[in-house]
Amino acid sequence: MRALRILLIVVVILGGLFVIADRLAVGFAEDEAADKLRTTEGLATTPDVSIKGFPFLTQAAAGEFDDIEVGIKDYEASTGADGDTIRIDDLKAEMKGVTFSGDYSSATAASATGTATIGYDELLKAAKSEPTRVAPAVRAQVVGLSDGGNGKIEVKIDATVLGVKLPRPVAVLSSVKVVDGDTVTVRADSLPDLGIDLAETALRSITDFDQTIEELPGGIRLDKVQAAGDGVEISVQGSNVRLAG
């Protein structure tokens, strides 16, 4: 019995040491991966990287991690126009089936899904927020975007008709969706009444707009979008996502 107790104590101690070593190793790997991702993607701040699953060491020995979560607080994505960018907030992605090279210089995820937010102030940059002539007697501009409820965006428009500025902005509820995996489109559900007959195309030249979003980390693409309190919430997805290298 004494020998058995000693054996059990030794097993417990060794198990504890293994857990400590495993947690130290995963912490080091997460820091290294975060630094590599920051450099590869040209990020202003170091992202959060969390390697899931236990034990870490056996996954590392096999050359593949089941699940890695990445969080980027602020990401400047390309709009595809003259070097302009749009800020993506709180981008969080879950990578599945992550394999890496022998020297850990590159890693590829079999699949990735995630979420992020685009603030209304950022999305407003794609709208016509400067006074624009939509007809000989009408000038209009988008002055604000906000949550319209039920997944809709409320678009507020200032207009000057026959030289007279309307006393208050006109509010239009609009639908938002993703097209072709890289473009957020905003389309008015119904057109505003500005007190004068205007062609639909003239009105939609103000109410409707698109925002292209390119070069997201690892080549992930837009999947879905809906309006929320602080901005539009987007979901992203991708396959064979290259994390580094």
Side-chain angles (χ1 to χ4, degrees):
M1 291 296 294
R2 183 171 181 273
L4 180 58
R5 285 198 298 271
I6 293 174
L7 178 60
L8 289 174
I9 291 171
V10 171
V11 169
V12 170
I13 291 173
L14 291 177
L17 291 175
F18 175 79
V19 171
I20 292 172
D22 191 81
R23 294 301 89 191
L24 289 174
V26 74
F28 175 79
E30 288 170 345
D31 290 343
E32 289 294 307
D35 287 339
K36 181 69 174 179
L37 185 59
R38 179 180 61 81
T39 301
T40 302
E41 297 294 340
L43 304 177
T45 59
T46 303
D48 295 325
V49 175
S50 179
I51 301 174
K52 303 297 183 179
F54 178 83
F56 163 80
L57 292 173
T58 57
Q59 293 185 79
E64 180 175 348
F65 296 115
D66 296 333
D67 188 354
I68 295 180
E69 292 183 358
V70 176
I72 302 174
K73 185 173 179 57
D74 298 312
Y75 183 81
E76 296 291 331
S78 171
T79 64
D82 300 325
D84 290 342
T85 61
I86 183 169
R87 190 183 73 251
I88 309 294
D89 297 325
D90 297 323
L91 175 59
K92 298 176 182 177
E94 185 173 16
M95 313 291 183
K96 299 288 190 178
V98 181
T99 58
F100 48 88
S101 61
D103 60 358
Y104 301 98
S105 62
S106 64
T108 303
S111 65
T113 57
T115 59
T117 299
I118 302 173
Y120 287 121
D121 58 334
E122 287 292 302
L123 191 60
L124 183 62
K125 296 176 182 178
K128 290 185 177 177
S129 54
E130 296 294 332
T132 302
R133 186 178 299 278
V134 296
V138 180
R139 296 176 68 85
Q141 67 187 104
V142 178
V143 294
L145 303 175
S146 61
D147 182 13
N150 297 319
K152 306 286 187 177
I153 292 179
E154 184 177 84
V155 180
K156 290 184 178 179
I157 300 168
D158 265 353
T160 299
V161 180
L162 299 174
V164 179
K165 189 177 185 302
L166 297 185
R168 63 181 62 85
V170 177
V172 179
L173 284 180
S174 300
S175 297
V176 57
K177 69 177 183 177
V178 170
V179 175
D180 296 331
D182 64 1
T183 303
V184 174
T185 68
V186 178
R187 299 288 183 268
D189 292 349
S190 59
L191 296 174
D193 181 5
L194 301 184
I196 187 172
D197 288 335
L198 291 173
E200 179 175 337
T201 53
L203 286 171
R204 288 196 178 276
S205 70
I206 295 296
T207 62
D208 300 355
F209 57 93
D210 300 338
Q211 176 63 73
T212 300
I213 300 172
E214 299 178 342
E215 299 178 10
L216 292 174
I220 56 178
R221 292 169 64 80
L222 307 181
D223 182 29
K224 298 177 182 177
V225 62
Q226 70 172 8
D230 297 327
V232 293
E233 294 179 347
I234 60 175
S235 60
V236 298
Q237 65 176 2
S239 57
N240 296 321
V241 176
R242 195 168 183 82
L243 301 179

